[in-house]
Amino acid sequence: MQRYFLKQPIADDIVLTAEQDVFKHFGKVLRARVGSQAEFVSQDQEVVVGEVVAITPTEMTLKVVSRLTENVELPVQVTVIVSPLKNDRSDWFVQKATELGVHRIIFTTMTRTVADWRKQQLKKAMRLEKIAQAAAEQSHRLMIPTIDFLSWSEVLSLPKQAGIVAWEESAREGEVGTLVQVVKPLPAEASLALVFGPEGGLTADEVAALSAHGFKPAGLGPRILRAETAPLYALSAISVLKELN
């Protein structure tokens, strides 16, 4: 069943208007009719099933036929911090990270960052937010990850309960346990920040700065992963450690 996010509380009825994207997709693309149903998530993360009871070219009315109790979010709130990527690789990364349960995505410029988004940051943000929303609806999540653009200094001072920086030198040195040691004991709803370098990797100075601000260097196995692949590896590992144990 199709799922949509509504930026409002949900009572016994839902009224959608032609100006809303939900109306355009459910009513026009999926051609909803009286009796059609869809799931809706309120601003309070309440999920309901709505059934169309009346529809006109400009308005659709649905009655709530059931309320769902579910918890599909990762037990910990994961913030992924990455460098802007070239071409459409950031689009793909945001989509897949959303499907894997990321809570927040932060883009920041690093020493070896190649892509320069400064002149198109607003346009990029709007595009990535739409991608995150579509992916959250497709994967039936309860929230849409936030997309932010922060400076390096803001990343260093980011509030968190635990932090990890993926560092290929740690992997080369044979380090294999930090990710598990940090993630496993985290309590429910704990904030975990993960930093991943750009295509050329993080510099030693950047890793030292992150370490000084509470980020623990960790290897992600013996293989070298692409900048957009490493965060997905980590999110999958967190799901295994916190949801499948």
Side-chain angles (χ1 to χ4, degrees):
M1 188 178 296
Q2 182 68 38
R3 174 168 293 193
Y4 299 101
F5 288 89
L6 296 179
K7 298 178 182 179
Q8 63 191 58
I10 297 176
D12 295 329
D13 296 302
I14 300 170
V15 178
L16 304 176
T17 60
E19 293 76 23
Q20 293 175 281
D21 290 338
V22 175
F23 180 96
K24 295 173 183 176
H25 189 269
F26 189 41
K28 304 297 184 182
V29 177
L30 297 187
R31 299 182 180 181
R33 297 291 183 266
V34 171
S36 297
Q37 294 186 348
E39 295 178 359
F40 298 88
V41 184
S42 75
Q43 63 184 18
D44 301 318
Q45 298 187 3
E46 180 186 19
V47 183
V48 305
V49 175
E51 181 177 304
V52 179
V53 294
I55 186 168
T56 71
T58 59
E59 188 174 277
M60 182 189 306
T61 302
L62 304 96
K63 67 176 180 180
V64 174
V65 296
S66 63
R67 296 180 184 270
L68 308 179
T69 301
E70 57 182 20
N71 185 8
V72 298
E73 296 300 321
L74 282 177
V76 294
Q77 297 183 356
V78 181
T79 295
V80 170
I81 302 155
V82 295
S83 166
L85 301 168
K86 294 183 294 184
N87 303 322
D88 61 352
R89 290 162 63 191
S90 291
D91 295 3
W92 182 86
F93 158 69
V94 167
Q95 181 189 65
K96 301 311 174 187
T98 299
E99 292 176 13
L100 289 170
V102 72
H103 186 82
R104 183 185 185 190
I105 298 173
I106 295 173
F107 289 94
T108 189
T109 300
M110 303 173 186
T111 301
R112 293 172 178 157
T113 295
V114 175
D116 185 356
W117 289 3
R118 285 173 294 182
K119 293 182 179 179
Q120 53 181 335
Q121 185 169 301
L122 180 58
K123 183 179 179 181
K124 279 283 187 181
M126 293 175 63
R127 175 176 174 78
L128 294 176
E129 286 166 2
K130 287 184 178 180
I131 290 172
Q133 177 171 336
E137 291 173 345
Q138 183 276 326
S139 54
H140 279 216
R141 291 195 51 186
L142 301 179
M143 54 89 67
I144 305 168
T146 55
I147 310 291
D148 291 312
F149 296 80
L150 300 183
S151 67
W152 182 248
S153 60
E154 289 173 317
V155 165
L156 292 177
S157 59
L158 194 70
K160 60 188 178 301
Q161 287 171 265
I164 291 173
V165 51
W167 180 226
E168 61 186 43
E169 294 303 323
S170 294
R172 287 197 181 102
E173 294 169 2
E175 185 281 311
V176 295
T178 299
L179 178 66
V180 174
Q181 293 164 8
V182 171
V183 171
K184 263 203 163 183
L186 287 175
E189 302 302 318
S191 57
L192 172 64
L194 308 177
V195 179
F196 302 87
E199 288 90 336
L202 291 160
T203 66
D205 287 344
E206 286 172 327
V207 174
L210 289 163
S211 297
H213 285 80
F215 290 87
K216 294 186 176 182
L220 299 181
R223 291 163 295 281
I224 301 299
L225 304 176
R226 290 182 180 271
E228 67 271 27
T229 308
L232 306 183
Y233 174 101
L235 286 166
S236 299
I238 291 167
S239 174
V240 172
L241 292 170
K242 304 300 289 186
E243 296 180 311
L244 301 182
N245 268 316

